[in-house]
Amino acid sequence: MAFVYGADEIKGNVHSVESFGLVDGPGVRFVVFMQGCALRCKYCHNPETWAGGGSPWTAKQLFDKAWRFKAYWKSNGGITVSGGEPLLQIKFLTEFFNLAKKHGVNTAIDTAGQPFCREEPWLSKFNELMELTDLVILDLKEWTSEKHIALTGKDNENIKDLARYLSEIGKPMWIRHVLVPGLTDDESDLRAISEFIASLKTVRRVEILPYHAFGVPSWEKLGLEYELKDVQAPNDEQIRRAEELLRVSDYNNY
């Protein structure tokens, strides 16, 4: 099938791709990791995506590569764009997802939500992208602005507003929370996040992502100090408790 929607012109800055992703949305996914992110999360496992680097791709080049793996997707797989922060390259994503939807491919965005705002012209561009997006996987990293700034360097009020907006427009969401012992496991904060999630109409799944230190070599390679080097991964009891507080079992899979 041949389809061109300006796809040979605009280029996106891509960090890497994964042809057989199993944790980035429903089914088997072709996962694209975009370059660039304004957050500086203390536990980031791919800080090399923050700035610079990456490779330029046209939307058609990237879709043609993804399409080679369509046999793996079956009836519930598809394409997920992650990062870095994919919403920083919203025009490219729109071109890319146009191609995907013309071929009947399920599309998902894995985002921290930091670029979101309701101002024009950004909101109209976002709405155009949402028309081509089947699922948004949204990270809720902390509850209070103060703790979110300490963890990532940025406020989170617009990120919570993104969740509200997705609920308003009827867009299915998965909510994820990275559980870092001593940092993102405060019980009162988890209860507040749980209440917030319960107020949203379109959440299909809630996931606890246990902290790990797999990204440490990347920090060291970049000459960056990793502040959480002494933090241990959460144990089974800590994970179970967090899942209870976020009422994970109340939500069904997509």
Side-chain angles (χ1 to χ4, degrees):
M1 298 174 67
F3 177 75
V4 176
Y5 178 81
D8 289 320
E9 299 175 3
I10 185 172
K11 291 186 178 181
N13 196 16
V14 176
H15 173 263
S16 59
V17 300
E18 180 181 347
S19 59
F20 201 81
L22 297 174
V23 295
D24 301 282
V28 177
R29 317 291 296 185
F30 183 89
V31 186
V32 181
F33 298 93
M34 305 300 292
Q35 191 77 21
C37 185
L39 300 181
R40 296 295 181 264
C41 301
K42 291 183 177 180
Y43 53 67
C44 182
H45 63 275
N46 54 356
E48 67 276 7
T49 66
W50 287 350
S55 301
W57 293 68
T58 67
K60 186 175 186 305
Q61 285 172 336
L62 189 57
F63 181 76
D64 286 348
K65 184 173 181 64
W67 188 243
R68 299 173 194 168
F69 299 92
K70 62 184 183 295
Y72 296 112
W73 303 339
K74 301 187 184 300
S75 61
N76 67 334
I79 293 173
T80 297
V81 180
S82 185
E85 175 49 66
L87 293 181
L88 290 176
Q89 301 189 60
I90 196 167
K91 185 176 180 181
F92 175 79
L93 259 65
T94 302
E95 297 261 2
F96 182 49
F97 278 8
N98 256 302
L99 292 173
K101 299 316 291 182
K102 287 292 182 178
H103 290 73
V105 179
N106 180 275
T107 56
I109 295 174
D110 185 354
T111 176
Q114 192 277 326
F116 179 77
C117 71
R118 299 198 187 213
E119 297 178 2
E120 296 293 353
W122 198 92
L123 187 61
S124 291
K125 295 177 182 178
F126 181 73
N127 287 336
E128 184 180 2
L129 176 62
M130 287 299 98
E131 291 178 2
L132 304 165
T133 303
D134 295 303
L135 173 69
V136 175
I137 304 170
L138 178 62
D139 296 334
L140 292 182
K141 301 176 185 294
E142 276 283 17
W143 178 246
T144 70
S145 294
E146 293 77 12
K147 289 184 178 180
H148 198 274
I149 291 170
L151 177 65
T152 73
K154 298 288 184 181
D155 194 3
N156 66 344
E157 288 305 311
N158 66 319
I159 295 170
K160 289 186 277 191
D161 193 39
L162 169 58
R164 296 186 191 99
Y165 186 74
L166 292 171
S167 177
E168 291 170 13
I169 66 174
K171 185 60 57 181
M173 278 182 277
W174 285 9
I175 300 294
R176 287 176 166 174
H177 178 74
V178 177
L179 186 68
V180 185
L183 188 63
T184 67
D185 60 347
D186 180 82
E187 182 170 327
S188 62
D189 288 338
L190 291 176
R191 290 187 185 279
I193 292 173
S194 180
E195 292 177 6
F196 177 67
I197 293 172
S199 74
L200 306 172
K201 301 175 182 178
T202 58
V203 176
R204 302 291 184 262
R205 186 170 182 173
V206 177
E207 295 181 327
I208 292 291
L209 303 183
Y211 165 77
H212 61 73
F214 297 157
V216 172
S218 295
W219 285 70
E220 293 176 344
K221 185 177 180 180
L222 293 170
L224 300 173
E225 180 184 359
Y226 190 74
E227 296 182 24
L228 307 182
K229 56 187 175 184
D230 295 325
V231 176
Q232 299 298 311
N235 58 39
D236 291 344
E237 175 59 25
Q238 290 171 316
I239 295 170
R240 183 194 64 78
R241 180 58 176 158
E243 289 178 340
E244 287 181 354
L245 290 170
L246 289 187
R247 291 179 282 183
V248 168
S249 62
D250 290 351
Y251 301 89
N252 298 320
N253 291 343
Y254 177 75

